[in-house]
Amino acid sequence: AQSVTQPDIHITVSEGASLELRCNYSYGATPYLFWYVQSPGQGLQLLLKYFSGDTLVQGIKGFEAEFKRSQSSFNLRKPSVHWSDAAEYFCAVSNMEYGNKLVFGAGTILRVKS
Amino acid sequence: GAGVSQSPSNKVTEKGKDVELRCDPISGHTALYWYRQSLGQGLEFLIYFQGNSAPDKSGLPSDRFSAERTGGSVSTLTIQRTQQEDSAVYLCASSLGLRSQETQYFGPGTRLLVL
């Protein structure tokens, strides 16, 4: 079965600092990978997704993620964090073999200090 | 255009009562999904519908949970004889089709509290 691990429950960074949120997946073949963001009281918004091709994926709001097959990782990065980036971030995986349901990690809560 | 909408936004009910949660997907989206977000279990899949195909109910936690989708559009998730552990945010999502790489667009959710 597919699974997703986000090892960091909380991360605090200073505004303007760089950010990396970790995500590891467990799946035999190459899955489809997603990062979603959830602001307080809001639904989930897609930041970026990876299916194939270039392993460095650009998303909205200045985020990017890199797929590393050898490490089964899909870490999310941003070079300079803004206070408005404070939210909860979810990594997710899907694949046709398991239907198209998204399997989510536990989420990482990002706090931004000024 | 309009996104996925869900109603009600919040629902408080007493243990043992039945509740219905509604989802209006994005117009033209043929796939519709229900997820549940709770403190103990995180975000978990419940059920999805694709066109006229039989739904995938593999994520429903018990037979108290059911869902239907009328006319290929609006969906209703019904929880019978609610229990306190059913308290959660119920999220609906839709996508253009059922391919895994298609983006699922999420609604704002219905926050259910069972007293």
Side-chain angles (χ1 to χ4, degrees), chain A residues 6-7 26 29 31 35 37 39-40 47 50 52 62 67 72 75-77 79 83 92 95-96 101 103-104 106 108 114:
Chain A
Q6 293 181 247
S26 173
W35 274 99
V37 61
S39 299
L47 286 175
Y50 171 80
S52 64
F67 170 62
S72 297
N75 293 349
L76 182 71
R77 301 193 294 247
W83 63 267
N95 189 279
M96 275 296 293
K101 57 180 83 64
V103 174
F104 287 90
T108 297
S114 56

Side-chain angles (χ1 to χ4, degrees), chain B:
Chain B
V4 177
S5 61
Q6 293 186 245
S7 60
S9 301
N10 294 280
K11 176 72 176 178
V12 181
T13 190
E14 294 177 349
K15 178 181 173 181
K17 295 288 180 72
D18 297 351
V19 295
E20 287 188 349
L21 312 179
R22 176 188 168 103
C23 171
D24 282 275
I26 293 172
S27 177
H29 281 195
T30 62
L32 185 147
Y33 309 77
W34 283 98
Y35 294 86
R36 179 169 71 173
Q37 185 173 24
S38 58
L39 282 176
Q41 302 298 322
L43 268 160
E44 53 181 346
F45 164 80
L46 296 177
I47 184 171
Y48 77 72
F49 299 87
Q50 166 60 18
N52 296 320
S53 302
D56 179 342
K57 305 179 182 181
S58 60
L60 294 178
S62 78
D63 59 7
R64 295 186 295 104
F65 288 72
S66 62
E68 62 177 20
R69 189 178 185 191
T70 54
S73 180
V74 172
S75 177
T76 302
L77 178 69
T78 300
I79 308 173
Q80 295 179 311
R81 305 180 302 282
T82 52
Q83 303 295 312
Q84 289 181 332
E85 61 262 29
D86 299 334
S87 296
V89 177
Y90 290 81
L91 295 168
C92 177
S94 69
S95 65
L96 199 56
L98 199 55
R99 294 187 304 162
S100 290
Q101 58 266 50
E102 291 187 11
T103 299
Q104 294 182 27
Y105 295 88
F106 284 80
T110 293
R111 187 176 299 275
L112 175 67
L113 178 60
V114 182
L115 300 176

